[in-house]
Amino acid sequence: MVVVDSYSSDATVAIAEAAGARVLQRPFDGFRSQKDHAVAQATHDWVLCLDADERVSPELRAAIEAARDGGFEGAAGYRFARLSDYFGKFLRHGNAYPDRVLRLFDRRRGGWRGKREIHEAASVDGAVRTLSGDLIHYPYRSLEQQLLKTQRYARMMAEHEFARGKRATLSKLVLAPAWRFWRGYLLRGGFLDGWHGLVYAYVRANYVRQKTIMLWLLQNGQPVATPPANERQG
């Protein structure tokens, strides 16, 4: 096990080392870069990448071990569904599930590539197969944490898209959030998750709204983040 820690101030390092992990310290400069660094430190060709808020379910573990015992024949990587807990209920519909992610792969044939640091994804050169079982995801401790996290992600994504030349339009400001809500809540059955699905759909639609507004502000020469104190004073 390899754990990459960005100088946390809690007991993360001690807990990881006690569990037998090799802990590496690296300043955080982006999600993709951090994960790419972790893969580069591995000693085996095949790697399984997990975030701190993810757990491998027993069924997924059995599927991974079966693939390993078969020599990962015919595949350069494997994807599987991610099942997210949302305030006491696992979301099994809408935009939240199955949310398949590629996390098990031969690092000689792929990895965390590209330039996008936010909403990063691994890719491989070769066949990708799907494994049964879920990757259990515990993304939020509270609604406040989710709102702060999605606002941060919206800013990072808006800055990324602006740097690539993408621009917002008035129609996107109005229609994009509404489409995200109705696609997830109605077309993909998010309503089947009860009030949890409704709140999730609203918050995710708000993420799209924030990202689009921030992109609009950037293209009109306006800041989307509070500047450092020394710059405000100057």
Side-chain angles (χ1 to χ4, degrees), residues 153-228:
Y153 282 18
R155 177 182 58 80
M156 294 176 67
M157 195 62 189
E159 291 172 342
H160 171 77
E161 292 183 348
F162 179 72
R164 292 184 60 198
K166 190 172 182 179
R167 297 295 181 260
T169 63
L170 288 174
S171 61
K172 286 184 178 180
L173 281 171
V174 176
L175 299 177
W179 170 244
R180 174 61 65 91
F181 175 82
W182 292 114
R183 183 183 64 178
Y185 191 66
L186 286 181
L187 298 182
R188 295 185 176 178
F191 63 90
L192 296 173
D193 286 317
W195 69 261
H196 298 80
L198 177 63
V199 173
Y200 180 84
Y202 267 130
V203 175
R204 294 306 297 169
N206 187 55
Y207 160 78
V208 175
R209 180 179 293 106
Q210 288 179 310
K211 182 187 70 172
T212 310
I213 290 174
M214 290 180 184
L215 181 57
W216 179 268
L217 289 173
L218 287 171
Q219 69 196 46
N220 283 280
Q222 300 300 313
V224 295
T226 304

Side-chain angles (χ1 to χ4, degrees), residues 25-149:
Q25 295 281 9
R26 182 179 185 274
F28 182 84
D29 59 358
F31 296 104
R32 187 206 61 79
S33 296
Q34 201 79 333
K35 293 178 180 180
D36 184 60
H37 176 74
V39 169
Q41 307 309 309
T43 57
H44 296 280
D45 294 328
W46 279 84
V47 295
L48 172 65
C49 298
L50 301 177
D51 289 341
D53 57 4
E54 296 171 337
R55 308 288 182 269
V56 176
S57 67
E59 183 181 2
L60 177 57
R61 175 176 180 142
I64 291 174
E65 291 176 340
R68 178 201 61 192
D69 294 343
F72 301 113
E73 185 177 358
Y78 294 87
R79 66 168 64 93
F80 30 80
R82 187 164 62 167
L83 179 65
S84 294
D85 172 82
Y86 196 67
F87 306 127
K89 180 184 179 69
F90 285 109
L91 300 178
R92 298 184 178 275
H93 307 90
N95 291 326
Y97 189 81
D99 186 28
R100 291 189 175 88
V101 290
L102 172 62
R103 295 295 187 79
L104 175 64
F105 55 85
D106 184 344
R107 67 193 186 105
R108 296 168 298 181
R109 291 186 280 175
W112 300 94
R113 301 184 290 196
K115 296 182 179 180
R116 192 173 72 183
E117 294 291 344
I118 183 70
H119 297 316
E120 68 289 350
S123 62
V124 295
D125 299 321
V128 177
R129 294 185 175 181
T130 301
L131 295 178
S132 60
D134 294 323
L135 181 64
I136 308 301
H137 188 209
Y138 297 94
Y140 313 115
R141 297 186 181 92
S142 67
L143 179 61
E144 180 182 34
Q145 186 210 15
Q146 182 187 13
L147 294 176
L148 291 173
K149 186 176 182 179

